[in-house]
Amino acid sequence: MLHLLQDYAEREGLDTTPGLATKRIAALLQFTPDGAYLGVLVFDKPKATPGCPNLSQPEIKGGGAGCRHFLADVAEVVTLLGAEALDDKARGKLEAKHAFFTGLLRQAAEAGALSELAPIVEALSDPSTRERIAAELAEKRVKTSDNVTFAIPNRTPARLVEDRRWHPWWQEWRAGLAQAKAKKKAPAKKSAKAKAAPAAPSAMRDLLTGELAPPTATHDKITGLSDVGGLAMGDNLVSFKQGAFRSYGLEQSANAAMSADSAKVYSSALNHLIAHRARRFQGIKVLFWYDGEVPADLSELIENPETEDDGFWDLCGGKPEVPAPPPPDPKKDAEAAKREKLRAESRAIALLGALRHGGEKARTDLRQTRYHSLTISGQSGRVMVRDFTSGQFGELREAILAWFEDLAIVHREGDRLASPPKFYAVLGATVRELKELASPDQAALWNAAICRRPISDSLFIKALARLRAEMASAEPPPPNQARMGLLKAYLNRLPEHRLTTPKETNRMQTHLHKNHPAPAYHCGRLLSVLADLQYCALGKVEAGVVQRFYGAASTTPHLVLGRLFALHHHHLNKISGNARDGYKQAIECILAYFPGQQFPTSLSLPEQALFALGYYQQSAHDRAARAEASARAKDRKASSTPDHSETTED
């Protein structure tokens, strides 16, 4: 994984120099070459600026009280913005940071690293100029936590942070800071225990490059995970604190030896992926990227990382938190909904068609293209890697098409297929509320979707439990189509050895499968018909067959279905005509699968899913049949009605 992150950093042209980082600059403080203040230039959207000087958290701690970054920092440090609202103690700390910041500017100017900073430092040291800048920043709604830096118009480059002349001085200053920290940390007199411990080696084998290099004590933090359990200040991917993880006398990150350059490479790549190539789910983020060259004729279908129109994420439903706005014209709702239903399949089919039937060059390029998927979250200041997957581009597209095919299920009304479910809808079908989703479950389902693997038993059991709970409620909600699709996908992806019948005959279909070989499936069908018969005979009752018996019937059908069947004649006697004959025929057809009415004694978990699908698909089939019969009756009535419209006599 580290080498893939290194390739990504090189391909994206990321600045991986230690001590430098990309910062989002909200405003430029503009000065003349002699230090006269010209005004503030505020960006509508903070501008990502690479190559800004940056200190790690350990470096800031080692720098002492008030230690701050150089040249680009938050507005409150640079100009004391908002200082008047602080109490004496907080104001004193802020003034110390401001003094450290301006002191760094003065040192750089005196060292000749950037002589243009000298007049700017004098301007910032003048209280009236500083207050004027702060007032203008406040007027333009720049926050105290927004990053600002300096610019001199009509100079090349205008932004001083883009002038590379200060880089050697900055790296030398950081090296001096590290040396001062090491001297401060070294004990004046070692204890006997400390003498016995072996000294940390000056060079170790770098995990990324494989070369001997001095290991860096700390690695840069990974940012952008605060919305999935991480800290706002960032989290550590590599960190060793407890004694149990410090072997052979190695301290801190020497236990996972990497040079400062290597550590900067992987942290820069991860931070860039989180900022530009990630989608958030409940408690996790999925990072996704490709390597190799993708043919130009497919680039628009695959993805565009700078926009929301990303083919992969549309296919997997990875944008749940930002629902699409409704069309402005209500008359177009049906057409827009239809386009939304077909969008995922059409993209997958187009990509697979190009993959299979494109030119020789396209096939070769796509064979060389790989995808990488990393699932991460934050926990107690640590980056948790939940899953990592890598594979061929063609395999990914086949897996996505198979994902939607396995999830496809008849609509609850029985007249069409249900819309392809979003990834969040499938996850939500396993819990009562989305906040109950567990990160490992999400990672497992994501892995199943893009790698064509079986659905985890954990998610399957939770989906069954939610189904039973809803069926037992006083007012059962409409059947959750995403949940039924998940149960169908679980069964179709089960390994052969876990099935009681051959996979070819046991494979679940989207609609009612009247010849399915599993008795559990027909048990569910029978319960659906008996429940429908009760409603036809008695209308809506306080607690019907489903609310009272679904849970028991789906686990021990022998105890429940035999009793219900014995009582169904009472309901048949309350109806007559074609309806009575239809119910009798439906029940007799299902009972043909149970000679002597010998229902299964108990059902395993996969058989309980078969029961649920039998119940659901039978119900959908019956709804569609009733709707069709009603439509035919309406048409016959309309055709038999005399036409009383006026006629013209000759």
Side-chain angles (χ1 to χ4, degrees):
M1 186 181 80
L2 291 175
H3 292 90
L4 295 173
L5 292 174
Q6 181 184 37
D7 293 343
Y8 177 82
E10 293 174 356
R11 193 165 56 250
E12 294 293 325
L14 304 181
D15 192 342
T16 58
T17 305
L20 302 180
T22 297
K23 293 186 178 181
R24 293 192 172 274
I25 303 299
L28 296 177
L29 308 183
Q30 301 182 95
F31 293 86
T32 64
D34 58 0
Y37 175 63
L38 295 176
V40 175
L41 175 62
V42 178
F43 299 113
D44 294 335
K45 185 178 181 180
K47 186 175 180 62
T49 305
C52 294
N54 185 73
L55 294 176
S56 66
Q57 194 65 24
E59 286 177 323
I60 290 179
K61 288 183 178 180
C67 182
R68 293 304 301 174
H69 307 288
F70 169 63
L71 204 54
D73 210 327
V74 294
E76 64 174 358
V77 169
V78 177
T79 68
L80 295 180
L81 175 64
E84 65 280 355
L86 302 176
D87 57 34
D88 292 342
K89 184 178 180 180
R91 183 182 178 90
K93 290 183 178 180
L94 181 58
E95 289 175 346
K97 294 177 181 179
H98 174 76
F100 194 100
F101 176 80
T102 54
L104 277 180
L105 299 182
R106 187 175 287 106
Q107 290 179 50
E110 293 174 352
L114 208 57
S115 58
E116 291 89 341
L117 287 173
I120 294 177
V121 172
E122 296 304 320
L124 290 177
S125 301
D126 179 29
S128 60
T129 303
R130 193 172 60 240
E131 290 173 4
R132 178 185 167 196
I133 298 173
E136 188 171 353
L137 288 172
E139 181 183 352
K140 294 187 177 182
R141 298 185 178 181
V142 175
K143 300 176 183 177
T144 57
S145 58
D146 286 339
N147 287 315
V148 299
T149 189
F150 309 106
I152 300 177
N154 302 322
R155 176 188 180 277
T156 304
R159 302 174 192 177
L160 301 186
V161 76
E162 297 176 357
D163 192 325
R164 290 183 167 270
R165 289 183 297 157
W166 54 265
H167 285 205
W169 172 85
W170 172 242
Q171 298 298 356
E172 185 179 349
W173 186 87
R174 288 182 61 249
L177 184 65
Q179 293 173 4
K181 180 182 178 182
K183 289 180 181 179
K184 183 178 179 181
K185 187 177 181 180
K189 192 174 183 180
K190 291 185 177 181
S191 64
K193 185 177 180 180
K195 290 179 181 178
S202 59
M204 296 180 68
R205 193 69 64 183
D206 190 302
L207 290 178
L208 181 58
T209 65
E211 300 176 354
L212 288 173
T216 183
T218 58
H219 295 189
D220 287 353
K221 291 185 180 295
I222 308 303
T223 58
L225 299 179
S226 59
D227 53 348
V228 289
L231 303 178
M233 63 186 295
D235 305 277
N236 294 311
L237 179 64
V238 176
S239 176
F240 298 86
K241 183 178 180 182
Q242 303 299 327
F245 302 103
R246 299 203 297 268
S247 304
Y248 305 104
L250 300 177
E251 295 291 330
Q252 295 181 302
S253 296
N255 289 271
M258 277 191 240
S259 67
D261 290 344
S262 295
K264 181 67 177 179
V265 166
Y266 87 76
S267 61
S268 297
L270 276 179
N271 285 327
H272 191 270
L273 284 167
I274 292 171
H276 302 286
R277 308 284 304 141
R279 291 296 184 271
R280 179 176 68 85
F281 297 108
Q282 187 75 19
I284 63 170
K285 280 190 176 179
V286 177
L287 285 51
F288 201 92
W289 72 102
Y290 298 94
D291 61 21
E293 293 296 327
V294 177
D297 58 339
L298 295 181
S299 60
E300 290 301 319
L301 284 172
I302 295 172
E303 59 185 329
N304 182 356
E306 300 301 324
T307 69
E308 289 296 313
D309 185 20
D310 187 317
F312 174 81
W313 298 108
D314 280 341
L315 288 171
C316 288
K319 292 182 282 190
E321 61 265 57
V322 186
D329 186 358
K331 294 181 179 179
K332 297 181 180 179
D333 279 352
E335 183 180 351
K338 184 177 180 180
R339 288 198 303 268
E340 178 67 19
K341 292 176 185 177
L342 299 176
R343 187 177 186 183
E345 287 91 341
S346 63
R347 281 182 178 271
I349 291 169
L351 282 162
L352 287 168
L355 187 66
R356 292 169 177 156
H357 309 299
E360 185 62 33
K361 180 178 183 298
R363 289 198 296 272
T364 302
D365 286 343
L366 286 174
R367 280 199 299 267
Q368 296 173 352
T369 300
R370 295 182 64 83
Y371 75 91
H372 313 289
S373 174
L374 179 63
T375 305
I376 60 176
S377 62
Q379 184 174 346
S380 302
R382 305 295 179 93
V383 177
M384 307 295 291
V385 178
R386 303 289 182 182
D387 183 67
F388 176 71
T389 303
S390 182
Q392 294 291 339
F393 175 84
E395 295 171 356
L396 168 67
R397 292 305 171 182
E398 294 283 359
I400 291 172
L401 191 62
W403 172 252
F404 286 110
E405 181 181 345
D406 286 343
L407 287 176
I409 195 74
V410 64
H411 192 277
R412 63 176 67 96
E413 297 301 325
D415 56 347
R416 60 193 183 278
L417 285 178
S419 301
K422 297 290 187 182
F423 187 73
Y424 236 113
V426 181
L427 280 170
T430 65
V431 291
R432 183 177 55 181
E433 297 179 1
L434 288 177
K435 64 181 181 181
E436 298 175 0
L437 286 172
S439 297
D441 284 342
Q442 297 181 67
L445 189 65
W446 182 262
N447 190 281
I450 66 174
C451 297
R452 208 169 181 174
R453 292 177 181 170
I455 309 296
S456 72
D457 289 345
S458 172
L459 281 166
F460 165 68
I461 292 171
K462 290 177 181 179
L464 277 181
R466 286 306 311 152
L467 175 62
R468 285 195 294 267
E470 290 183 0
M471 287 297 192
S473 61
E475 291 289 339
N480 187 310
Q481 296 166 159
R483 180 183 296 129
M484 304 315 297
L486 177 63
L487 296 181
K488 171 175 170 283
Y490 174 83
L491 292 172
N492 285 348
R493 295 190 177 200
L494 272 179
E496 190 77 37
H497 68 273
R498 295 186 60 183
L499 298 173
T500 56
T501 55
K503 198 164 189 122
E504 303 78 44
T505 58
N506 200 71
R507 186 169 181 82
M508 293 304 304
Q509 300 177 359
T510 57
H511 292 69
L512 180 65
H513 189 178
K514 292 185 178 181
N515 297 320
H516 197 284
Y521 183 81
H522 300 288
C523 287
R525 292 182 59 201
L526 180 59
L527 181 66
S528 172
V529 174
L530 293 177
D532 198 41
L533 171 61
Q534 181 192 49
Y535 183 83
C536 181
L538 305 178
K540 186 176 181 181
V541 295
E542 185 174 347
V545 167
V546 174
Q547 291 95 322
R548 295 175 60 189
F549 299 110
Y550 180 89
S554 65
T555 55
T556 55
H558 179 74
L559 297 177
V560 179
L561 291 182
R563 177 185 173 191
L564 291 178
F565 177 75
L567 297 174
H568 85 284
H569 296 287
H570 298 288
H571 295 151
L572 279 176
N573 292 334
K574 294 182 180 294
I575 58 178
S576 59
N578 292 335
R580 177 187 172 91
D581 295 338
Y583 282 115
K584 287 181 64 177
Q585 182 179 1
I587 293 173
E588 289 171 359
C589 289
I590 296 174
L591 288 178
Y593 293 94
F594 305 101
Q597 299 177 24
Q598 292 298 313
F599 302 108
T601 303
S602 62
L603 299 182
S604 64
L605 287 172
E607 288 173 332
Q608 291 176 37
L610 285 167
F611 182 97
L613 287 166
Y615 175 87
Y616 173 80
Q617 291 178 336
Q618 182 68 50
S619 299
H621 176 271
D622 291 343
R623 287 192 192 95
R626 285 194 296 271
E628 184 179 353
S630 177
R632 286 199 302 267
K634 189 179 294 184
D635 291 342
R636 286 196 299 269
K637 183 178 180 181
S639 61
S640 62
T641 302
D643 187 359
H644 297 292
S645 59
E646 295 182 1
T647 57
T648 303
E649 296 181 359
D650 293 335

